[in-house]
Amino acid sequence: MHEGHHEVKDRVTSPIYTFGEDRNRMMLLAIVVGAICLGIGIALGVSSGIARFTYAYLMNFCFFVSIALGALFFVMSQHLTRAGWSASIRRISEILAVCIVPMGVLFIPIVVMVALKWGHPFEWNNPEWIATADDDLRPIYEKKSAYLNSSFFIARNIAYFLIWIGTAWFLFRHSLRQDTTKSKELTLRMQSRSAPLMILFAMTLVFCSFDWQMSLAPMWFSTIFPVYFFAGAVIGGLAATTLTALLLQRSGRVTDEITVENYHDMGKLMFGFVVFWGYIAFSQFMLIWYANIPEETFWYNMRFKNPAWLNISIALLFLHLFIPFLGIMARSVRRSKPFLVIACLYLLAVHWIDHYWIVMPQYNYDSYNLTTEFAFPIVELMLLAGFAGLFIGSFYFIAGNRPLVPLGDPRMAEALNYKNL
Amino acid sequence: MTNHQNQKLVGVLAEFACADSLLQGAKRIRAGGYEKLDAFSPFPVHGIDEAIGIKRTILPFICLFTGIGACGLGVFMQWYVNYYVSSPIFPGYDFYISGKPLWSLPANVPVIFEVIVLCTAFAAFFGMLILNKMPQLANPLLRVARFRRVTNDRFFLLIDAADEKFKNDRTIEELRQAGATDVETVYSDESDHQLPSFVRTFGVLMLTLALVPPVMVFRAQGQTNRDPRLHFNPDMDFQTKFKPQTVGPNLNAGLNHADADYAWKDIRSARLPIKGTVARNKLEDDMEFFHGIKAASNEQAAHEYNAPVRIVSVTTTLGQDTGSGQVPLAGETAEPDWVTSYPQRLKIDAATLQRGKKMYEINCVACHGYAGDGDGLVNKRALELATVNINGRPGAAWTESKSLHHPDVIVQSVGRVFDTITNGRATMGPYGSRIKPEDRWAIVLYIQALQETRINSAEKFVVPETPVTEPSADDEQVEPQDESNAAEEGSEVEGAGDNATQEGGDDGDVESESKTEESAGESGEGLIGE
Amino acid sequence: MVTVDSYYDNTFEDPSRRAPLITGRLDFNGVTEQVAAPTEARKPPQAWYVVFTISTLLTLMLGGLIMHLLLKGVGVWGNNNPVYWGWPIVNFVFWVGIGHAGTLISAILFLFRQHWRTSINRAAEAMTIFAVICAGMFPGIHIGRVWSFYWLFPIPSEHLAMWPNFRSPLLWDVFAVSTYFTVSLLFWYMGMVPDLATFRDRATNKVKKLAYGIAALGWTGSARHWHRYEAAYTILAALATPLVLSVHTIVSFDFAISQLPGWHTTIFPPYFVAGAIFSGFAMVVTLLIPARALFGLKDIITVRHIENMNKIIILTGLIVGTAYTIEFFVAWYSGNNYEGFTFINRMMGPKWWAYFAMFSCNVFIPQLFWFKKIRTSMAWSMVICLLVNVGMWFERFVIVMSLERDFLPSSWAYFIPTWVDIGMFVGSFGLFLMLFCLFCRYLPLVAISEVKGTMEHYRHLPTGTPTSET
C-alpha cells in the first residue's frame, strides 16, 4: 500500500476518490428537493401557527448542527489521540464538520426571530415576559434576563459559529493540503491545534445547548444538559460519517480505502456512545426524579403528563438505548455493511426523535395548567426533509472534486492494514 | 529419558524461533493433515487460531446468557426484598421512604446493573477457567526443561500422540521441515500427579491444627463457669447519658464509684417539676373530685395533700428528706376529712356504673375477684405459692387481698375508698397514674354496688365457696354470664319485680343497673349516716 | 540488563511511525528479566525498606485508631451536626476516585487499543485494588456497629426480620464498591496469570515454585487457552468500562439525589467520573515515577508513558474545570438563592482556602502540562501530580463541607477534624503504600505478556515502527 509521490496527483482527481461529474448534478438535486420540502414545511408551519413553525425550525436546525458538531468532535479527537485506524474515514467527518458553514446561514432565521423579539421559540425573548411573571418569580426572571436577552444571545451565538466554522475549516484545509504535500508537519499542527480548539469547542457546545434547548423552558436548569446534547451529537456525527462512507462505497468510491475494520470500529464507537447517551439520560432523569424538586421536575412532567408525549418518552428509552444496545452489540452486525446502513439510518432517526422530544413539548406549553400539546409532526418532518436536502447539497458542494479520503495522511497505511481482534 | 516403559506418550513438542515461524510451521503441519495440534507462546500470537483450527469460543454466549439471567435476578431480588411483603417465608420489608412507590424501577437500576456486571464477570472468569480445564497444576509438558521458556520468549508446537496421522519419527521429521529448531517427544507418568512431599506434611499439620478448636468446644460442653461473660464489645452499653428512673449519669464514667461525678446533687437522673407547676390538663382544682377530700373543711390539709408533694414524700425514702407532706398510711390517725358523698362533678347514672364495672374488671379483679371477695386469680396463686417451699424459702411473700365485703371496708367513706385506689394502701399499689379520676369514682360506685348486694340481702345469698366467676373453658362467656349475674343480683337487691331482669337484654341491663346505682347512692349515704 | 544512564527519548512526534514503547533494545527475554528482577533480587533497594517500614508503621497506627474508634464510637471523629459526614466520606470518595485509573487504563484503553497501556496497566490495577481497600474501609468503620456489617447485604434473617432498602444510594454504594472490587480483582488476577506462570518457570526455590505454581493455575501459554483468555479479557474489559463509570456515578448519587444545594446537581455523575480518572491517573504517575527508577524499569515504563498520562491529566482536569464552571454558571442561572449562596460560600465563605486549593490544584496547575518540557520532566510530573491529588482531596472536602451552612443559619457551624480523623487519613496512605510495596516486591509490576504482545504487534506495523530504537 505504499504510494509513491508521482501517483498522488492522479489519485487526488481520480473518480474513485472524488465525486467527479456527479457532484453538480447531485448537489442541485439535493438542494432543489431540499428547498421544495423546506418551502412546504414553512407553508404548513405558518398555516398551523407561526409559533409551531419556529419550534420545528429550531429543532431541525439543532439536529443538523449536532451532526456537524459530532463530526467535528470526531475529527479533533482522532487528531488528539494520534489515531491511525480512522485516518481513512476522517475526511468524510471533516466535510460533515464543514457543513457547519451552511448551518450558520440557516441560523439567520433564528437570529431574526430573536431580534424581532417574537417570544417564540424562546419564551424569554418576549418583551412581556418579565411583566407576565408571578410576583414571586419576577426577581428570578429579572436576574435571568441578564443572560437571556436577545442582543447577548445573538452576540454569543455568532461567536459560537465563528469558532466552529474556524475550527472545521482549519482542519479541513490542512487535511486537504496534506493530500498533495504529504507533509507530516500538517498532521502535527492539526494535532497540536486540536487541543486548545477542543477547549473552545467544549465551552461553545455547553452554552449553545443552554441557549437553544435548555432556555426553551427558561425556568428549568440541569447542569448535565450539555453532556446530554453532546452525547446525542456524537452519535449523530458518527452515524452520519459511517452512513456517508457506506453510501459512497455503494456508488463505487473509496471501496478499498475504507475497510470493514473501519466500520467495525465506527460501530464500536457508536455502540459506546449509545451507552453513554443512556448513561447521561438516565443520570439526569434519575437525579431529578429522586430529588423531586418542583423547579426541576416540571420539565419531565411536560413530557410525561400528556399521554402522547409519555409514549414518546418511554419509546425513546427503548428506541434510543435498548434496541440499538442489543442491535449493534454483535460483532457480526458491526462488520456487515447492509446491517450497518440500517443501523446508521436508525440511529439518525432516533437522534432526530430525541431532539423532537427535547424541543417540541415546549411548544404551546401551558405553565399554569401544566399541559402540553401534541400534533402529528408533519411540519417537523417536512422541515427535516428540507434541511436534509440542503445539508446533503452542501456536503456535495464542499466535497466538490476533493478527495474523499485523506490520501496524504502519514497514517493511512496503518488505517488500511489494521485488524480488529 | 531412555526408559519410557511406565510412561505414556503425550506427543511431540517442537520449538520455533519466533512467532512468525511458529505461525508458518503450524500452517504447514495443519496442511499436512494433522488435526490435534496445540501451539504455545508467551503471548497470544494472532492468526494462530485459524492456523491450528481453533473454533471461536462460546464464552461470549455464556456471558450473554448469564447477563440476561443476572438482570432477572437483580430485578427479582429487589422486587422480593422491598416489595413482596406477603411472602410466606422471609417476607419483604416495605420501606416508605422519600415518597417513592415501593416498586420504583429507576431506583433499582443501579443495583440491577451491578448484579449484571458481577455475575457476567464471574461467568467470564470462571467460564474461561472451566473451558480451559484450569487449574491444572500438573502437566507433563512442564517436565520438559526447554518448555520452561515458553512463558518467556520461546514458541512451541505440540502434536498430540492421539492424532490419527501421528507417527513418532515421521512427525518429528515433518516438524523439522516445518521450521522447528528443536523437536522432543514428551511422556507422562504417575509422578506428574503427585503432590510434593512438603505439601503433604504441611497439609497434615494444618488439618491437625484445625481439629483443635472443635475439640476445645467439645470439651467445654456441659461445663459450668461462674465468670461473667466477656464484654467483648461495649456496643454503647455504657454511656454518659441520663437514663430514666436511675442514678446518674456519672460524668466521670469508667472510674470507680468514689470518683463519681454526678450531674445533680441528689444523684437522680430525673428532675422534679418545680413546686406548684401544673402540667397541661393536670390542674386538680377540685379536691373532692381529684382526691376525695372535703375541700371546704380543711384548706390546709388539702393544700398539703396535693399530688406532687406526695411523690416527694414517697421518694424521700431514697435519701434526703425534703420534709413536708408525709402520706398518712392506713390506720394512722391523721386522716384527712374524706368526702362521704360523691363529688358534684361525677355524673351518677347507669353508664358510669357500667364504666366502673369495666374498669373494676380490668384493674381490680385480678386480686379482689369478680365479686370483691378478695379471691382473684393472682391472690389465689400467690397464696398457693406462699405455702410452697422453693430452695428453702416460700415461693412468694404475699399479703392476702382484702375482701371488699369485709366490715372494715364497708364502713369506709367513698373518699377513703377513692384514695385507696389512687394512692394504694399497705401492699396494694397506687392506681392513680393508671386510671382517670372519673373512672376511679366509677369503680368506687361499682364497689359500693357490690357491697350493697351483701348488706341488704345477706340472707338471700349463700357466699359460694368458689368465686362467682368459675374459670370456664371459654373466656368470652365469662363476662356476659357474670354481667347477667350482677344484673340479677342488682335487681333482686332492689327487690322489685322488675321484668327487665328476665328479658336479659342490653336495655334491661342498663335499666336495672341504673336502679342499682340509685339505690347504691342512697345506701351509701345511709351508711355514712350510721 | 541495560545501563541506567542513557535512555532513548521516545517522546518525539512523528506521524509516519509509532514511537517505540519499549526502549533499551530489549527483546522478549530482556523484558522478562527486567520485570522479574525486583522479585528475584536477593534484597530490594534500600528505599523500598524505608518506604515499607514507614508505611507499615502508619498501617499499625491506622489499626490502632480503628480499635480506638470501635471502642469509643464514631464520636472520636469530628463529624457532628450539621456536618454529619466529615472526613470519612471525603476519604472514601478520594480513595474510590483513585481506584478508578487502574481499571480505566486496563479496560477503556484496552478497548481503544492504546498499546502504551500495557506497560502501566498492571501497576495501575494493583493500585486500584489497594485504593478500593482503603476506600471501602471508611464507610465500613463508619457504620457504627461494625460487627453487624452483614446487614448491608440482602441476607434472609429471622433474627432481624428486615431487608436492606434498595432505594437508598448508600446501599447502591455497597453493591457498586463491592462489585468494583471483585471485578477489578478478577481482572487484575486474570491478567497476571500468564506472568505468574513466567515467575513459576523462573522460580529457583521450592516455596516460590509452589506459590507461583498454584497462583498460575497451570498456565502453559497454549493457543487454545490464549484464545479463551483473550475472549474473557475482552469481555471483562467491556464490563469493567461501564462499571468504572457506574461506581463513581453511584458515589455521586450519594450526594446528588439529595435536595441540598451544591449537592443536588445533575452533572455530578460524569463530573465525579472525570474527577476520579483525573486523580487516579495522577496517583499512577506519582507511584510509577519512583517505582520505575527504583526497580530499573525505565525502558518499559518510558517517558512517553508518563507523558501520555500527563496528557490525560490535562484533559480530565479540563473536564473537571468545565464542570466547575457549569456548576457555577447554573447556580447563578437557576435563580435559586440557596444554590447561589452555596457556591458563593464555597468560594468566599470560611473555607475559601479549600476551594482555592481545589481550583488551583485541579484546574490551573495541570495546565503546566501544556509545555512539553514539563510533562516529560519526571520531577515536574511528580510535583504536579501530587498537587492534583491534593486538589482532588480538597474537591471532595469542599463538596462535603457545604453541610456547614445549610438552609438554617442558626445551625451553621465550622467543621474541625479531630486527631483521629487526620491519623486515619494518614494511616490509609500507610496501608496503601504498604500493599503497593509488597506488590512491587512479590508480583510482576508490569504485564509481561501484554508488553511482549505489543512488541510483536509493533514489529508488524505497516509504518515499520521498531519495537526499540535502532
Side-chain angles (χ1 to χ4, degrees):
Chain A
M1 289 294 161
H2 192 74
E3 303 293 340
H5 262 279
H6 59 282
E7 281 175 281
V8 171
K9 211 168 161 52
D10 300 337
R11 296 187 58 171
V12 166
T13 51
S14 146
I16 299 215
Y17 298 102
T18 62
F19 282 121
E21 287 114 42
D22 283 354
R23 178 242 187 174
N24 285 339
R25 195 162 46 85
M26 297 299 283
M27 184 177 78
L28 277 175
L29 182 71
I31 289 178
V32 169
V33 170
I36 292 169
C37 292
L38 198 62
I40 299 171
I42 292 171
L44 278 173
V46 173
S47 66
S48 61
I50 187 77
R52 171 154 180 207
F53 167 72
T54 58
Y55 281 93
Y57 187 90
L58 176 73
M59 145 245 148
N60 278 297
F61 169 77
C62 289
F63 173 68
F64 283 99
V65 170
S66 77
I67 290 175
L69 291 181
L72 183 58
F73 170 78
F74 179 67
V75 176
M76 282 195 283
S77 65
Q78 297 310 298
H79 283 307
L80 282 175
T81 53
R82 301 195 197 98
W85 68 271
S86 60
S88 53
I89 206 166
R90 203 185 64 228
R91 174 60 50 81
I92 295 166
S93 285
E94 284 167 0
I95 300 172
L96 282 170
V98 175
C99 286
I100 197 75
V101 180
M103 293 320 292
V105 177
L106 289 169
F107 185 60
I108 292 169
I110 294 176
V111 172
V112 172
M113 292 173 203
V114 173
L116 294 177
K117 293 186 182 283
W118 277 1
H120 42 71
F122 300 110
E123 196 191 329
W124 49 262
N125 192 31
N126 188 340
E128 302 294 302
W129 184 56
I130 292 176
T132 55
D134 288 349
D135 284 346
D136 50 342
L137 289 181
R138 192 167 297 125
I140 301 178
Y141 279 42
E142 276 164 1
K143 203 174 167 187
K144 285 197 165 197
S145 63
Y147 181 78
L148 297 176
N149 61 68
S150 55
S151 43
F152 187 29
F153 179 90
I154 293 167
R156 62 180 183 261
N157 275 276
I158 288 172
Y160 305 158
F161 273 99
L162 288 179
I163 289 168
W164 294 333
I165 290 170
T167 309
W169 193 246
F170 167 81
L171 294 169
F172 186 51
R173 280 299 299 274
H174 276 63
S175 183
L176 280 179
R177 209 186 299 164
Q178 206 175 34
D179 289 345
T180 46
T181 62
K182 291 212 156 202
S183 161
K184 294 181 203 170
E185 290 306 312
L186 290 170
T187 301
L188 290 182
R189 194 186 296 174
M190 285 190 280
Q191 183 186 319
S192 62
R193 298 293 188 279
S194 285
L197 287 175
M198 189 65 115
I199 298 174
L200 284 176
F201 174 80
M203 293 319 291
T204 48
L205 186 112
V206 164
F207 285 97
C208 91
S209 73
F210 286 161
D211 284 353
W212 298 345
Q213 296 189 332
M214 201 168 89
S215 80
L216 288 173
M219 294 307 287
W220 188 66
F221 54 92
S222 168
T223 41
I224 207 176
F225 195 80
V227 191
Y228 182 84
F229 182 83
F230 165 76
V234 178
I235 296 175
L238 291 171
T241 303
T242 316
L243 184 66
T244 313
L246 287 160
L247 295 178
L248 283 176
Q249 289 194 329
R250 284 193 137 193
S251 69
R253 294 182 175 84
V254 294
T255 42
D256 293 332
E257 283 66 24
I258 299 172
T259 66
V260 77
E261 305 292 337
N262 285 135
Y263 291 129
H264 188 175
D265 275 355
M266 292 302 279
K268 282 188 211 166
L269 272 181
M270 281 189 266
F271 177 77
F273 273 94
V274 162
V275 177
F276 183 69
W277 179 91
Y279 161 61
I280 297 298
F282 174 74
S283 298
Q284 175 170 289
F285 171 73
M286 171 75 152
L287 292 178
I288 290 175
W289 171 80
Y290 207 114
N292 210 1
I293 301 173
E295 59 231 53
E296 293 178 341
T297 46
F298 80 94
W299 195 82
Y300 279 100
N301 270 337
M302 252 188 247
R303 285 148 183 85
F304 290 168
K305 287 261 163 106
N306 183 329
W309 285 113
L310 177 65
N311 288 339
I312 294 177
S313 307
I314 294 168
L316 199 61
L317 173 69
F318 286 87
L319 293 175
H320 207 308
L321 179 63
F322 295 139
I323 294 173
F325 176 82
L326 295 170
I328 42 179
M329 183 157 66
R331 174 190 166 90
S332 46
V333 171
R334 295 197 288 247
R335 295 180 79 87
S336 150
K337 289 184 188 178
F339 274 128
L340 214 51
V341 171
I342 297 169
C344 291
L345 281 171
Y346 177 88
L347 283 178
L348 286 171
V350 290
H351 180 47
W352 187 81
I353 296 175
D354 185 24
H355 277 279
Y356 179 69
W357 179 80
I358 292 171
V359 174
M360 291 317 285
Q362 308 288 156
Y363 149 69
N364 248 0
Y365 168 64
D366 182 341
S367 58
Y368 287 94
N369 301 316
L370 299 173
T371 54
T372 45
E373 206 169 278
F374 176 79
F376 185 77
I378 182 67
V379 179
E380 291 80 356
L381 285 170
M382 285 317 292
L383 287 177
L384 168 68
F387 268 88
L390 297 181
F391 194 83
I392 294 167
S394 44
F395 183 87
Y396 278 111
F397 179 80
I398 294 158
N401 280 324
R402 292 156 177 154
L404 294 165
V405 278
L407 293 164
D409 192 293
R411 297 194 182 110
M412 266 304 277
E414 207 180 309
L416 294 169
N417 284 288
Y418 83 100
K419 292 258 185 300
N420 275 291
L421 289 178
Chain B
M1 289 294 238
T2 44
N3 182 13
H4 298 303
Q5 278 179 350
N6 299 328
Q7 295 179 320
K8 212 180 112 215
L9 183 64
V10 173
V12 180
L13 189 65
E15 184 179 332
F16 288 83
C18 64
D20 292 338
S21 68
L22 172 73
L23 199 57
Q24 295 306 321
K27 279 179 183 161
R28 236 177 113 165
I29 292 292
R30 181 125 160 104
Y34 287 96
E35 293 289 329
K36 294 188 174 164
L37 310 176
D38 203 353
F40 300 87
S41 53
F43 52 85
V45 176
H46 287 239
I48 197 82
D49 299 355
E50 297 87 54
I52 63 171
I54 298 174
K55 277 185 278 175
R56 258 188 183 278
T57 175
I58 55 159
L59 196 61
F61 293 94
I62 296 177
C63 292
L64 180 66
F65 290 115
T66 312
I68 292 168
C71 180
L73 176 73
V75 174
F76 173 77
M77 174 176 76
Q78 297 181 70
W79 172 83
Y80 183 96
V81 162
N82 283 163
Y83 186 74
Y84 188 40
V85 289
S86 54
S87 167
I89 174 171
F90 297 120
Y93 195 90
D94 44 350
F95 294 91
Y96 290 91
I97 290 174
S98 64
K100 298 283 178 280
L102 281 184
W103 180 235
S104 39
L105 210 48
N108 294 324
V109 168
V111 171
I112 294 173
F113 177 81
E114 299 302 331
V115 171
I116 292 174
V117 169
L118 186 66
C119 295
T120 317
F122 277 134
F125 179 74
F126 292 106
M128 185 273 288
L129 287 188
I130 291 165
L131 291 174
N132 280 347
K133 298 191 181 63
M134 284 163 77
Q136 184 191 8
L137 296 184
N139 191 329
L141 293 175
L142 293 174
R143 282 147 44 97
V144 179
R146 67 172 73 243
F147 190 71
R148 295 239 177 95
R149 287 193 73 156
V150 75
T151 52
N152 182 359
D153 58 349
R154 299 298 158 87
F155 302 83
F156 292 86
L157 190 68
L158 176 80
I159 301 182
D160 202 302
D163 195 287
E164 278 176 22
K165 276 199 74 182
F166 185 84
K167 212 172 171 190
N168 208 348
D169 297 342
R170 233 191 80 194
T171 308
I172 290 174
E173 188 47 40
E174 279 181 54
L175 279 167
R176 281 195 201 287
Q177 282 173 3
T181 55
D182 204 284
V183 187
E184 199 173 306
T185 37
V186 186
Y187 296 91
S188 74
D189 65 15
E190 287 297 306
S191 67
D192 284 341
H193 302 285
Q194 276 170 4
L195 277 175
S197 59
F198 73 98
V199 175
R200 260 178 289 174
T201 321
F202 184 73
V204 170
L205 190 71
M206 290 315 285
L207 273 177
T208 320
L209 285 177
L211 280 174
V212 173
V215 167
M216 285 177 74
V217 170
F218 184 75
R219 248 174 58 90
Q221 270 195 334
Q223 291 185 351
T224 48
N225 190 342
R226 290 203 166 274
D227 292 340
R229 270 189 285 179
L230 281 180
H231 209 125
F232 246 133
N233 174 350
D235 207 5
M236 301 191 199
D237 286 348
F238 311 108
Q239 300 178 28
T240 43
K241 71 168 188 185
F242 294 87
K243 287 182 181 169
Q245 310 294 339
T246 53
V247 170
N250 180 359
L251 299 180
N252 214 352
L255 302 177
N256 60 43
H257 198 74
D259 295 334
D261 176 12
Y262 291 104
W264 311 112
K265 208 175 174 187
D266 61 3
I267 76 171
R268 286 175 295 169
S269 67
R271 298 291 87 206
L272 296 167
I274 293 164
K275 213 169 185 183
T277 323
V278 180
R280 270 170 171 270
N281 301 323
K282 293 282 185 223
L283 180 60
E284 299 181 348
D285 50 349
D286 183 345
M287 284 308 288
E288 295 191 2
F289 186 72
F290 290 103
H291 300 288
I293 298 168
K294 278 183 188 155
S297 65
N298 192 347
E299 284 279 343
Q300 184 59 30
H303 179 71
E304 283 181 0
Y305 207 68
N306 64 31
V309 175
R310 279 174 67 89
I311 292 166
V312 172
S313 61
V314 170
T315 47
T316 45
T317 48
L318 272 172
Q320 302 97 317
D321 193 344
T322 47
S324 67
Q326 270 289 355
V327 189
L329 294 172
E332 284 182 22
T333 48
E335 290 262 339
D337 200 357
W338 303 118
V339 290
T340 50
S341 60
Y342 290 97
Q344 295 283 314
R345 264 163 87 162
L346 187 73
K347 227 177 142 195
I348 298 176
D349 58 6
T352 309
L353 191 63
Q354 192 72 10
R355 177 84 187 153
K357 177 174 183 312
K358 190 174 172 191
M359 297 315 288
Y360 178 84
E361 285 171 1
I362 291 171
N363 294 289
C364 317
V365 154
C367 292
H368 291 288
Y370 276 94
D373 292 301
D375 55 357
L377 285 176
V378 170
N379 183 47
K380 289 211 292 184
R381 176 69 181 145
L383 287 176
E384 248 171 60
L385 280 175
T387 61
V388 182
N389 264 0
I390 296 172
N391 293 339
R393 276 180 293 180
W398 185 256
T399 313
E400 202 177 340
S401 302
K402 203 146 201 167
S403 166
L404 300 179
H405 303 291
H406 192 280
D408 290 354
V409 180
I410 290 174
V411 295
Q412 283 171 10
S413 61
V414 287
R416 168 70 201 265
V417 176
F418 179 85
D419 183 71
T420 307
I421 300 172
T422 310
N423 296 316
R425 275 289 184 284
T427 51
M428 173 173 158
Y431 283 75
S433 60
R434 274 172 258 179
I435 312 174
K436 286 187 289 185
E438 55 268 38
D439 288 347
R440 271 177 261 149
W441 280 117
I443 292 173
V444 174
L445 191 60
Y446 182 67
I447 289 173
Q448 220 174 16
L450 283 179
Q451 290 167 342
E452 206 66 19
T453 59
R454 302 284 169 86
I455 294 164
N456 285 354
S457 51
E459 63 280 4
K460 282 190 193 170
F461 283 89
V462 178
V463 181
E465 289 295 313
T466 50
V468 180
T469 49
E470 189 66 44
S472 73
D474 195 343
D475 280 348
E476 281 180 26
Q477 284 181 2
V478 173
E479 271 193 81
Q481 192 187 343
D482 190 46
E483 257 170 39
S484 61
N485 275 353
E488 264 175 23
E489 284 163 19
S491 61
E492 275 171 64
V493 167
E494 196 63 48
D498 202 330
N499 58 0
T501 29
Q502 272 76 33
E503 283 170 31
D506 275 344
D507 293 358
D509 268 5
V510 171
E511 210 179 308
S512 64
E513 271 164 26
S514 71
K515 293 205 165 126
T516 314
E517 160 266 303
E518 272 171 31
S519 64
E522 283 165 38
S523 59
E525 268 181 53
L527 273 170
I528 299 297
E530 278 174 29
Chain C
M1 297 293 287
V2 287
T3 53
V4 188
D5 300 308
S6 60
Y7 282 99
Y8 178 72
D9 177 22
N10 62 345
T11 61
F12 62 82
E13 295 282 355
D14 182 354
S16 67
R17 67 191 188 108
R18 294 283 164 193
L21 292 175
I22 307 297
T23 59
R25 296 193 181 83
L26 290 179
D27 57 2
F28 294 149
N29 185 48
V31 170
T32 313
E33 293 283 349
Q34 272 215 356
V35 179
T39 58
E40 290 172 356
R42 253 174 22 93
K43 276 185 178 172
Q46 264 189 343
W48 185 90
Y49 282 110
V50 174
V51 177
F52 183 71
T53 313
I54 293 173
S55 58
T56 309
L57 288 174
L58 289 177
T59 311
L60 289 175
M61 178 186 83
L62 175 69
L65 289 175
I66 292 176
M67 282 312 292
H68 175 66
L69 173 86
L70 296 187
L71 293 171
K72 287 277 179 179
V74 287
V76 298
W77 280 329
N79 310 0
N80 211 331
N81 186 353
V83 184
Y84 297 105
W85 284 355
W87 277 33
I89 190 86
V90 176
N91 297 341
F92 163 68
V93 182
F94 172 74
W95 279 117
V96 163
I98 284 176
H100 276 57
T103 311
L104 184 98
I105 290 170
S106 307
I108 299 182
L109 297 186
F110 172 77
L111 295 178
F112 283 162
R113 275 199 300 276
Q114 295 291 313
H115 295 285
W116 59 275
R117 74 179 257 288
T118 54
S119 298
I120 51 167
N121 71 337
R122 174 66 43 73
E125 286 167 42
M127 181 206 76
T128 287
I129 311 269
F130 307 146
V132 175
I133 290 172
C134 291
M137 182 187 78
F138 282 100
I141 56 181
H142 198 178
I143 57 176
R145 291 175 169 81
V146 180
W147 43 97
S148 300
F149 75 96
Y150 58 92
W151 291 4
L152 293 168
F153 299 99
I155 297 167
S157 162
E158 283 287 5
H159 161 64
L160 199 58
M162 244 172 105
W163 292 97
N165 174 19
F166 274 102
R167 277 165 289 141
S168 158
L170 299 181
L171 191 74
W172 306 340
D173 252 358
V174 173
F175 274 76
V177 175
S178 56
T179 301
Y180 185 60
F181 180 73
T182 315
V183 174
S184 298
L185 195 67
L186 285 182
F187 201 36
W188 181 57
Y189 176 61
M190 200 177 100
M192 212 153 49
V193 164
D195 298 349
L196 290 168
T198 307
F199 278 21
R200 171 200 65 198
D201 292 345
R202 292 171 60 90
T204 44
N205 71 48
K206 265 190 172 177
V207 178
K208 274 190 172 183
K209 225 174 221 168
L210 186 83
Y212 288 129
I214 291 173
L217 304 171
W219 183 263
T220 52
S222 152
R224 281 162 219 286
H225 287 187
W226 275 122
H227 175 70
R228 297 188 187 106
Y229 175 90
E230 283 197 292
Y233 200 86
T234 312
I235 292 167
L236 277 184
L239 288 169
T241 304
L243 179 65
V244 176
L245 263 69
S246 81
V247 174
H248 227 66
T249 295
I250 288 171
V251 170
S252 80
F253 283 172
D254 291 349
F255 302 96
I257 65 151
S258 70
Q259 297 173 336
L260 280 181
W263 281 21
H264 176 68
T265 307
T266 48
I267 204 167
F268 257 30
Y271 151 48
F272 263 52
V273 172
I277 295 164
F278 181 52
S279 65
F281 267 99
M283 187 58 102
V284 177
V285 173
T286 319
L287 288 176
L288 284 186
I289 288 177
R292 72 195 270 277
L294 217 51
F295 298 110
L297 293 170
K298 286 183 179 175
D299 281 326
I300 297 174
I301 303 169
T302 64
V303 179
R304 196 178 181 86
H305 291 98
I306 305 291
E307 191 195 358
N308 281 349
M309 288 195 273
N310 288 342
K311 284 183 176 176
I312 291 183
I313 288 170
I314 313 181
L315 171 72
T316 45
L318 284 169
I319 295 177
V320 169
T322 310
Y324 294 158
T325 317
I326 295 178
E327 269 191 336
F328 228 107
F329 171 74
V330 172
W332 172 82
Y333 175 86
S334 70
N336 182 326
N337 286 335
Y338 300 104
E339 200 76 41
F341 170 77
T342 304
F343 282 88
I344 296 294
N345 181 51
R346 280 181 186 176
M347 193 156 69
M348 311 210 271
K351 285 220 162 55
W352 62 272
W353 44 270
Y355 192 85
F356 176 77
M358 166 189 107
F359 214 94
S360 51
C361 290
N362 291 349
V363 185
F364 295 138
I365 289 175
Q367 303 311 319
L368 288 171
F369 280 147
W370 286 99
F371 301 104
K372 185 166 179 140
K373 271 229 167 90
I374 289 178
R375 66 174 184 258
T376 54
S377 144
M378 293 304 109
W380 274 103
S381 304
M382 187 80 182
V383 169
I384 292 173
C385 289
L386 277 172
L387 285 174
V388 165
N389 275 315
V390 171
M392 282 311 289
W393 190 87
F394 272 108
E395 181 196 299
R396 282 64 177 250
F397 183 70
V398 164
I399 292 169
V400 173
M401 289 307 138
S402 305
L403 286 173
E404 276 185 352
R405 296 188 159 189
D406 57 5
F407 299 99
L408 197 63
S410 64
S411 65
W412 287 3
Y414 188 85
F415 177 86
I416 298 168
T418 64
W419 64 274
V420 181
D421 275 315
I422 298 165
M424 279 193 171
F425 181 53
V426 175
S428 68
F429 271 98
L431 175 64
F432 178 73
L433 284 176
M434 183 188 76
L435 292 170
F436 195 77
C437 281
L438 290 173
F439 162 72
C440 290
R441 175 77 176 126
Y442 294 106
L443 291 171
L445 190 57
V446 173
I448 312 174
S449 67
E450 291 192 50
V451 167
K452 289 175 189 161
T454 304
M455 289 161 79
E456 184 74 7
H457 172 80
Y458 267 47
R459 232 159 48 78
H460 288 101
L461 276 183
T463 35
T465 313
T467 38
S468 187
E469 77 277 17
T470 43

